[in-house]
Amino acid sequence: MTVTVIIAEAVDEALLPFPASPDAHLTDPLTRATLRVQSHMLTATRAFLTARGFQELLPPIIGPVTDPGIRGSKQVDVDFYGHKYKMMTSAILYKQASLLAFDKIFYIAPNVRLEPLETAVTHRHLAEFHQIDVEIRDARREDAMALAEQLVSHVVGEVLATMPAELDLLGRDADALREVLVGAFGRVGHQQATAELIGLGHPQDPAAEIDWQAEEIVSARADRPFFITDYPKGSRGFYDKENAEQPGVLRNFDLIAPEGYGELASGSEREHDYATLVTRMRETGENPAKYGWYLDLARRGIPASSGFGIGLERFTRYVTGRQAAWQASAYPKLPGVVSA
Ligand code: AMP
Ligand code: MG
């Protein structure tokens, strides 16, 4: 109760009144316009991916293990007939496994992460959100980045072309959004991004993930989406492949939205070699014994792959120009706030 009150005050201070009731939120014309745009974004995503040979699968909701690479947030336990299962924080392990059946797959996947309380005011963190989750067999990181870029451009192009009335109602600056369509997205290495952040007075740790304040800083300075690549080992999950030519550097990327909206997606080339996975698990503090089904599969052979996950509520927030990601959810769950 106390926690909820503290957070509710913090949210008020951030000038973002969280709706007092579900009906206030659901009947708000801005919510309805945002959700109409989101629905269209999903239709455009499915059309884009299925036209390119991707198979949509329904994602798992629970499992014996889930993605541990979730900086600072907690997993949710489920009592599965006396076994401790987890709600999916991300379905990455299942995405890799799915490639045994299909060469290209995607999910629209729900994720639950108990994010730290202080993230309730970042405008970007929800405790329950969805990912457009894509995985491509035998693909390199660059293939995944090219696909993410094309997918985001396609979806934004579709909304701009078909939903001007909604964008107008939402007060979205369509010209700013149109910047997405102008050409290839920029790329900057993690090292360079870190140096720039330190130059700007932000104490970014060169060995760590770009923190969420830093993400907002680099995002606010951009007017087009761009990639940050090559995060250091230790900053990400065991499944991000290490660069054989550059030990300590991972073959991964984030896609950052401009205008201060922050991170839209994370992706990587995946580790799939059994022995390396076990070593990487140990290095990241994970107990391999927990990952029974996954490691058994890896021992028998998981395909090489690359992929990414785009946060749907964050992507919707960016496209619709809303203040916060929770406004792009019909039933928002904000960290620490007890609601519908
Ligand atoms: P991650 O694997 O943590 O990079 O998550 C993949 C994507 O999901 C991110 O790039 C975000 O767009 C989105 N995402 C991650 N955590 C959250 C959250 N707590 N609330 C909303 N979206 C999130
Ligand atoms: Mg990420």
Side-chain angles (χ1 to χ4, degrees):
M1 241 358 236
T2 322
V3 161
T4 309
V5 171
I6 291 167
I7 292 302
E9 275 168 11
V11 172
D12 269 353
E13 275 166 28
L15 296 176
L16 270 184
F18 194 67
S21 64
D23 48 332
H25 179 55
L26 288 164
T27 59
D28 182 338
L30 297 181
T31 305
R32 291 162 48 168
T34 305
L35 296 178
R36 277 200 301 274
V37 172
Q38 185 174 74
S39 170
H40 194 65
M41 289 170 68
L42 285 171
T43 304
T45 296
R46 289 190 160 106
F48 176 91
L49 290 172
T50 50
R52 281 157 188 77
F54 283 80
Q55 165 82 29
E56 179 170 6
L57 294 177
L58 294 174
I61 310 283
I62 57 172
V65 279
T66 185
D67 179 2
I70 49 166
R71 43 172 169 171
S73 64
K74 280 204 304 208
Q75 303 179 346
V76 175
D77 292 338
V78 174
D79 179 357
F80 188 78
Y81 304 94
H83 296 268
K84 196 152 89 170
Y85 269 34
K86 306 282 184 191
M87 304 281 300
M88 284 302 127
T89 52
S90 100
I92 172 66
L93 309 181
Y94 294 87
K95 285 207 293 180
Q96 286 184 278
S98 306
L99 299 176
L100 291 166
F102 303 103
D103 288 348
K104 302 172 175 186
I105 63 107
F106 73 101
Y107 307 130
I108 307 299
N111 295 157
V112 177
R113 300 183 187 180
L114 300 184
E115 298 282 2
L117 285 174
E118 59 270 24
T119 64
V121 293
T122 62
H123 303 180
R124 298 199 290 284
H125 290 84
L126 296 167
E128 180 184 275
F129 62 97
H130 295 77
Q131 289 193 55
I132 301 169
D133 240 333
V134 177
E135 199 70 21
I136 322 159
R137 185 174 172 143
D138 295 327
R140 306 278 288 164
R141 172 182 66 177
E142 286 65 29
D143 302 323
M145 289 170 70
L147 187 77
E149 179 175 319
Q150 288 160 19
L151 172 58
V152 165
S153 302
H154 175 78
V155 170
V156 168
E158 276 293 303
V159 173
L160 279 166
T162 60
M163 306 195 87
E166 275 80 1
L167 294 180
D168 204 36
L169 176 75
L170 289 159
R172 178 58 165 124
D173 179 349
D175 286 336
L177 190 57
R178 209 164 279 117
E179 285 291 320
V180 172
L181 309 179
V182 167
F185 297 171
R187 281 145 206 242
V188 56
H190 178 273
Q191 250 187 2
Q192 192 189 328
T194 301
E196 282 172 18
L197 280 161
I198 291 170
L200 289 166
H202 182 82
Q204 172 64 41
D205 177 354
E209 171 79 292
I210 303 277
D211 61 58
W212 54 261
Q213 292 96 334
E215 203 190 276
E216 193 164 316
I217 296 170
V218 291
S219 167
R221 292 166 59 82
D223 49 21
R224 309 200 54 234
F226 66 99
F227 291 105
I228 301 180
T229 61
D230 298 316
Y231 284 71
K233 197 169 149 180
S235 70
R236 291 290 178 95
F238 59 76
Y239 43 78
D240 278 14
K241 197 178 182 69
E242 187 171 3
N243 191 331
E245 275 92 57
Q246 275 179 285
V249 175
L250 300 173
R251 289 195 40 84
N252 59 6
F253 63 90
D254 273 4
L255 178 61
I256 310 291
E259 304 174 66
Y261 290 100
E263 176 189 330
L264 282 184
S266 287
S268 73
E269 201 163 306
R270 314 301 190 187
E271 187 52 72
H272 64 107
D273 173 67
Y274 170 76
T276 314
L277 279 169
V278 172
T279 306
R280 290 287 307 281
M281 281 179 181
R282 293 213 171 97
E283 283 171 359
T284 55
E286 285 299 309
N287 177 5
K290 284 194 326 193
Y291 291 86
W293 75 263
Y294 176 74
L295 286 177
D296 284 349
L297 216 58
R299 202 187 288 111
R300 295 197 294 273
I302 294 178
S305 67
S306 292
F308 56 85
I310 303 177
L312 178 63
E313 290 82 1
R314 290 191 187 183
F315 188 18
T316 309
R317 175 194 173 210
Y318 167 55
V319 170
T320 57
R322 299 304 305 269
Q323 258 188 299
W326 66 258
Q327 295 170 316
S329 168
Y331 326 105
K333 308 286 186 304
L334 213 49
V337 177
V338 176
S339 59

